[in-house]
Amino acid sequence: MIPPPGGFTAEDFLGMSGLPPRTELIDGSLVFVSPREKWHSRVINLLLGELDRQAPEHLRADREMAVRIAKRQVPEPDVVVVDAAAYDRPEPSTYYHTADVCLVVEAVSPDSEDRDRDTKPRKYAAAGITHYWRVENIDGRAVVYVYELDPASAAYVPTGIHHDALRVSVPYAIAIDLTAIGRRPGN
């Protein structure tokens, strides 16, 4: 597939069919994501379940849904927390609008380090998404780096680094046992 001059637009990308799962549009270029590792999948499962379970009625958590953030930017965060009305809305069925999203979570994989640590946070901040979490695999343990958008600089500022347990009060009260990755609920 050859991109047009200036790269693909969000409209081009969202109208494409036959792309591999988890393809993203970053800076007008298609980004193909490699298969995920077990740790990555388990982190996503834990965070998705807990974020959704603990969310107030007006919010819902979803996984691996594209977010249309700009003309040539349609990333696919590992987990998003969105307005419940957007979650239940039938159209569009393949992506969320930036205004729907209050939190994006990226679990870093070897092939996504630069995107998850630099490219995506800058783009999410520029789009006005208030909360960003980056999850790193440190010796098999999840460490969550929590960021909040500073409206004066339009950039994320770190608000905490969480090992073993994650406790935050925004975007809502959340408490997650990070050591539970891979365990069955209730164990």
Side-chain angles (χ1 to χ4, degrees), residues 69 77 81 102 105 130 156 177 186:
I69 63 174
V81 174
C102 73
V105 180
T130 309
Y156 287 124
D177 176 4

Side-chain angles (χ1 to χ4, degrees), residues 35-54:
R36 85 168 41 95
E37 298 173 353
K38 289 179 183 179
W39 179 89
H40 190 265
S41 182
R42 291 171 183 164
V43 164
I44 293 170
N45 289 342
L46 174 68
L47 294 177
L48 173 69
E50 288 299 316
L51 287 168
D52 198 50
R53 185 180 67 78
Q54 297 178 41

Side-chain angles (χ1 to χ4, degrees), residues 69-141:
I69 63 174
K71 182 177 180 181
R72 290 185 168 78
Q73 314 297 334
V74 187
E76 186 177 291
D78 292 316
V79 178
V80 293
V81 174
V82 299
D83 183 88
Y87 182 90
D88 292 331
R89 182 176 58 220
E91 295 296 329
S93 63
T94 59
Y95 68 93
Y96 289 110
H97 298 283
T98 303
D100 301 330
V101 181
C102 73
L103 167 67
V104 292
V105 180
E106 296 286 2
V108 177
S109 298
D111 77 318
S112 71
E113 285 179 355
D114 290 337
R115 288 189 309 276
D116 293 344
R117 292 176 180 168
D118 180 51
T119 307
K120 286 183 172 183
R122 283 186 294 105
K123 295 186 184 306
Y124 294 144
I129 296 172
T130 309
H131 301 278
Y132 175 71
W133 295 359
R134 188 184 78 244
V135 187
E136 299 270 353
N137 181 347
I138 309 295
D139 299 324
R141 296 172 56 199

Side-chain angles (χ1 to χ4, degrees), residues 1-83:
M1 187 175 294
I2 299 171
F8 293 108
T9 65
E11 289 79 19
D12 298 332
F13 175 73
L14 294 168
M16 292 178 185
S17 61
L19 292 173
R22 304 188 57 236
T23 301
E24 300 178 289
L25 182 68
I26 305 291
D27 297 329
S29 296
L30 299 177
V31 176
F32 302 102
V33 180
S34 64
R36 85 168 41 95
E37 298 173 353
K38 289 179 183 179
W39 179 89
H40 190 265
S41 182
R42 291 171 183 164
V43 164
I44 293 170
N45 289 342
L46 174 68
L47 294 177
L48 173 69
E50 288 299 316
L51 287 168
D52 198 50
R53 185 180 67 78
Q54 297 178 41
E57 287 296 315
H58 71 281
L59 296 173
R60 293 295 309 269
D62 209 349
R63 74 181 299 150
E64 300 167 343
M65 287 294 294
V67 179
R68 182 182 178 161
I69 63 174
K71 182 177 180 181
R72 290 185 168 78
Q73 314 297 334
V74 187
E76 186 177 291
D78 292 316
V79 178
V80 293
V81 174
V82 299
D83 183 88

